[in-house]
Amino acid sequence: MLEASATPGPLSFLDAQIFHHGTHESLAEWSASVAALKELPRGVRQDVARAIELGRRFNREVVAPLVLELDARIQDDPQHLPWSFIDEANRWGLFSLWLPKMFGGHGWNMLSMYAFIEEVSTQCVGLANVVGVHYLGVATLMATWNMPLARRIFGEVCEGERQGKPCLLSLAITEPGAGTDVEETELVDRARLGTQATPLPDGGYEINGRKVFISNGHVSTWHMVIAYEDRRRAADTTVVLAVRTGTAGFSFGAKEQKMGQKACVASELVFDRCQVPAAQVALGPQQTAGLGRPHRDLAQTMIDYVVSSTRAGVAAFATGVARGVFEATRERVAGMRCREGRLIEQQWVQTTLADMGRHASMARLAYMESAIANCLGGLFALLFTPPVYQLERWMPRRLMQAFSAPMLGDARFGRWVQRRLLAQYPATWQHLTSGLGSMAKVACSDLAMHNCALALELLGIDGLAHDSGIEKRLRDAKLLQIYEGTNQLNRINHFKCLLRPDDGVRVFVREDAP
């Protein structure tokens, strides 16, 4: 087994870069944005600007022309799936654009993706979520640091782009009796779990159970499934399995009839003696044995890696909604008149619009603080170390794949990656990124809902017309307060990670407990 202290030259160099390439956690805790002024590599700003322009062009050419029609169609036919949009997004390269070049993707940096999904969310957060949820699955696989499996699955995504056959990923974690509880090891052992993963002699697993509210479920090729060997000891026996659509024993159940974000299907996944081979076990007790930390701690680290980045993503969705409803309201008000003259010239209207614009700007500041922290010391930290970033930015994709292939296929490298990035992930960064992710998710989703309420106050019954786009944004915004951990859970997680005075203060204590 390769010890971190005995790594060969290139790995020793990377070891010196990750998580502490100059940044002090105390400065990042005060302001990740300020810490990033020096620490993020040159070129990041240009990458973000390029992603903003891409998002605006994608909105003009693809999203805006179909958003209201698609929403109405799914309202009338809940079984409809937006395959034409998915095909178009695949043609634009959106499902591989933010995959590292070492896996065959286009290598755009992950900070730029937040800017892109904010832009798309100004028009439709449901369609933005079709793209964003794919990267939720990507983030889950990456957070296990199982490099051979990532190489295989991400390779299929890129091949699907070339062949015009979209290959998407989903994350299957929520269960009929366990939603928010599954995101915290302090809660999961008390959850009403139903998904069982029974070990097989060859190192694989047999899954039985159901997952519900799985975004992109019916349209995804691969599903990152969180299951448990022993449901009474769930935190100690968590496994992450990659299940391909079409596998024997796996089927799709119902499609949820949601109030909002209708373009992104929420699916039921059914597992009935579904066997997953050892090569598709991303993380489990066998994989973490020998890493020097209890499996339950590593499972929480993996989950924190994911939700720290994806809660910032939900916050970017929410910022797009807050901004989109402000812009739509301003445009509509500008064409309205009242007894005193133009409605937009009335001071009470101007102050309300000023509040809405301020909320959108505040929301962006919140999610960018969280996103930047993830770049400095979270899931994306390796990709933002100067040598890796410059290779990903400038080296041609095929050459980068060829350069990376020996490492990705080396078992010693894979074990080093899991040891360094999972077992030795600094607790200070884990708490910072997780706490900021929760803070941003709550703040931005609440601001999005507030802006929708202000829009309806201004427009009255006119804002309830479907063609206004206002009432749709209200329906879309409510879900942002619920998924990726309810806002109630995220408030407690924010307190746990960043606000409690000492670790002796208990959190997630049941109010009905003695």
Side-chain angles (χ1 to χ4, degrees):
M1 185 180 299
L2 185 66
E3 297 293 334
S5 60
T7 54
L11 298 189
S12 297
F13 178 73
L14 277 178
D15 190 67
Q17 296 283 317
I18 303 168
F19 302 130
H20 42 84
H21 48 94
T23 301
H24 297 290
E25 290 92 335
S26 58
L27 178 59
E29 184 175 350
W30 185 80
S31 171
S33 301
V34 171
L37 291 175
K38 179 178 183 297
E39 300 307 326
L40 290 184
R42 293 182 179 180
V44 171
R45 184 177 64 180
Q46 291 88 337
D47 295 341
V48 172
R50 182 172 56 163
I52 292 171
E53 177 53 35
L54 177 69
R56 291 175 178 173
R57 184 159 59 89
F58 188 66
N59 270 350
R60 290 193 303 269
E61 298 180 21
V62 179
V63 178
L66 64 82
V67 55
L68 293 178
E69 178 185 351
L70 181 61
D71 182 70
R73 179 171 182 178
I74 299 175
Q75 176 70 28
D76 294 336
D77 178 14
Q79 301 305 309
H80 178 74
L81 294 172
W83 282 113
S84 60
F85 171 81
I86 293 170
D87 288 338
E88 188 65 20
N90 192 56
R91 282 192 288 272
W92 282 61
L94 299 184
F95 302 121
S96 67
L97 198 59
W98 288 279
L99 292 181
K101 287 182 180 178
M102 67 179 73
F103 297 114
H106 294 275
W108 283 34
N109 79 70
M110 297 303 289
L111 185 61
S112 70
M113 188 179 71
Y114 292 101
F116 175 84
I117 61 177
E118 180 195 327
E119 290 302 320
V120 178
S121 297
T122 62
Q123 290 293 328
C124 180
V125 70
L127 292 174
N129 207 16
V130 171
V131 177
V133 164
H134 166 69
Y135 287 97
L136 169 62
V138 168
T140 304
L141 178 50
M142 281 306 305
T144 68
W145 301 107
N146 188 318
M147 306 305 272
L149 186 57
R151 183 185 182 190
R152 172 187 170 186
I153 293 178
F154 296 163
E156 287 195 24
V157 173
C158 298
E159 184 62 25
E161 178 190 308
R162 288 189 289 270
Q163 294 185 2
K165 298 177 180 178
C167 177
L168 279 65
L169 278 68
S170 79
L171 168 61
I173 187 170
T174 306
E175 303 196 3
T180 290
D181 291 346
V182 297
E183 297 179 1
E184 296 285 340
T185 53
E186 294 169 85
L187 297 174
V188 70
D189 286 340
R190 304 198 300 259
R192 292 180 294 170
L193 300 169
T195 305
Q196 179 84 38
T198 304
L200 298 174
D202 65 355
Y205 285 88
E206 179 181 281
I207 316 176
N208 289 281
R210 290 189 299 145
K211 297 290 185 178
V212 294
F213 303 117
I214 307 307
S215 297
N216 273 0
H218 276 78
V219 299
S220 291
T221 302
W222 284 96
H223 312 272
M224 303 307 301
V225 180
I226 310 295
Y228 313 92
E229 292 183 7
D230 184 344
R231 288 173 291 175
R232 294 168 299 181
R233 298 174 49 250
D236 295 310
T237 64
T238 301
V239 294
V240 185
L241 308 168
V243 180
R244 203 179 198 282
T245 295
T247 301
F250 167 61
S251 61
F252 294 114
K255 300 182 184 73
E256 298 293 338
Q257 297 189 33
K258 299 186 295 181
M259 178 176 70
Q261 298 190 32
K262 292 178 178 294
C264 184
V265 63
S267 308
E268 177 186 28
L269 311 186
V270 181
F271 303 94
D272 182 9
R273 302 183 66 182
C274 175
Q275 296 196 358
V276 180
Q280 291 170 212
V281 179
L283 191 73
Q286 292 184 37
Q287 286 73 26
T288 61
L291 289 180
R293 288 179 62 195
H295 180 74
R296 67 184 298 123
D297 290 352
L298 296 177
Q300 185 63 62
T301 298
M302 181 272 298
I303 291 172
D304 280 343
Y305 259 133
V306 177
V307 298
S308 296
S309 59
T310 58
R311 285 170 180 164
V314 173
F317 289 148
T319 302
V321 174
R323 199 181 108 206
V325 75
F326 158 67
E327 291 171 351
T329 302
R330 181 180 59 184
E331 180 180 355
R332 209 163 183 89
V333 166
M336 300 174 69
R337 299 190 67 83
C338 61
R339 184 174 55 188
E340 292 79 9
R342 295 184 67 194
L343 190 59
I344 199 169
E345 293 176 349
Q346 309 310 305
Q347 290 188 16
W348 67 273
V349 174
Q350 293 172 354
T351 56
T352 301
L353 289 173
D355 283 343
M356 295 175 70
R358 173 170 53 84
H359 294 162
S361 296
M362 290 169 60
R364 183 182 299 113
L365 293 173
Y367 89 71
M368 286 301 293
E369 183 75 3
S370 174
I372 289 171
N374 278 290
C375 299
L376 293 173
L379 184 59
F380 317 136
L382 175 61
L383 295 172
F384 279 90
T385 58
V388 176
Y389 174 83
Q390 297 301 340
L391 285 172
E392 283 284 333
R393 182 175 172 84
W394 298 111
M395 187 175 285
R397 187 163 36 157
R398 290 186 180 179
L399 186 58
M400 186 66 179
Q401 281 185 279
F403 174 79
S404 306
M407 286 192 300
L408 297 179
D410 187 337
R412 296 187 310 157
F413 177 74
R415 195 64 175 172
W416 174 84
V417 168
Q418 285 194 321
R419 179 178 295 279
R420 184 65 186 92
L421 299 181
L422 187 63
Q424 297 177 3
Y425 183 36
T428 49
W429 278 115
Q430 184 173 346
H431 294 157
L432 177 61
T433 55
S434 181
L436 287 177
S438 289
M439 182 267 311
K441 194 266 185 186
V442 172
C444 296
S445 58
D446 285 354
L447 287 169
M449 282 295 294
H450 193 177
N451 266 13
C452 290
L454 289 174
L456 290 179
E457 286 182 17
L458 274 180
L459 298 174
I461 195 170
D462 191 55
L464 296 176
H466 187 257
D467 65 0
S468 73
I470 305 298
E471 62 85 28
K472 176 190 178 300
R473 289 180 171 92
L474 173 63
R475 289 187 282 111
D476 289 346
K478 187 60 185 175
L479 191 52
L480 297 167
Q481 296 179 311
I482 300 171
Y483 62 32
E484 215 61 11
T486 62
N487 278 9
Q488 290 86 343
L489 174 132
N490 276 286
R491 285 182 172 92
I492 297 175
N493 186 62
H494 181 205
F495 175 82
K496 178 188 81 170
C497 293
L498 298 180
L499 304 179
R500 62 177 168 172
D502 59 73
D503 291 346
V505 177
R506 295 188 302 155
V507 293
F508 298 117
V509 179
R510 290 180 53 160
E511 294 180 356
D512 59 350

